[in-house]
Amino acid sequence: MPLRKTSLIAMLAALYFAPGLLFLYVARGVSAEVPSSAVMTSPGEPGEPFHVTGTVYGPDGVTPAARMTVYAFHTDAEGLYSETNDNTNPRLKATIRTDAQGRYELRTIRPAPYPGGGIPAHIHYRISGSDFPDQGFELHFEGDPQLSARMKERSAKRGGFGSIRPLERGADGVWRCVFDIKLRR
Ligand SMILES: [Fe+2]
């Protein structure tokens, strides 16, 4: 009965591999659904509306880093991460994934500096994916009186990839800023 034997082997093989194939199919589907854009606030969140767009590049600063996971978080209009000011579980956060051109977009409110002062307002980024090591970045805003001379110098050295970016308020009342990121190896 060679035919039956073959059929049995094929059936057993299908049963053996099916869960793995199903998992791969689902995992690919889920990962494809992570958008490159997120709204970080609920309607009614106090603060001035603020949109950040940008592109994540590889270490050469030219090649877009596609499908990188970007976790961003920041303080609210009071300078707090949450009611208990816990930055490990911030209230205003988003996880997105850069698109095929490395682009991302965050729609949120303009963060305020910490209540104690001394540290400029900022947005934290954690970026992971591909074969890059996980890495962190901070976005600061030009004109912030709490920026130190050292921070300005460090940002200027990185040119278009510096952490201090200009921002502009549109006629619609929305602050806009472009923050491009160059990944490290
Ligand atoms: Fe912070």
Side-chain angles (χ1 to χ4, degrees), residues 40 51 98 137:
M40 297 172 74
H51 295 175
T98 58
F137 297 86

Side-chain angles (χ1 to χ4, degrees), residues 61-132:
V62 177
T63 311
R67 316 289 179 216
M68 297 297 292
T69 300
V70 178
Y71 170 60
F73 67 97
H74 63 80
T75 56
D76 60 18
E78 302 293 321
L80 300 173
Y81 285 109
S82 69
E83 253 179 50
T84 56
N85 201 19
D86 178 9
N87 70 356
T88 63
N89 187 24
R91 201 166 56 78
L92 303 178
K93 62 190 166 193
T95 299
I96 51 177
R97 187 162 294 171
T98 58
D99 69 9
Q101 283 79 44
R103 297 172 302 191
Y104 73 91
E105 178 185 40
L106 299 170
R107 291 170 172 251
T108 186
I109 53 112
R110 201 172 157 176
Y114 298 156
I119 294 177
H122 56 278
I123 297 182
H124 289 278
Y125 286 70
R126 292 292 319 169
I127 303 187
S128 57
S130 192
D131 55 349
F132 291 101

Side-chain angles (χ1 to χ4, degrees), residues 56-63 65 132 135 161 181-185:
V56 179
Y57 292 96
D60 64 2
V62 177
T63 311
F132 291 101
Q135 44 200 288
F161 295 107
I181 292 170
K182 185 161 72 168
L183 295 173
R184 300 178 289 266
R185 271 283 172 217

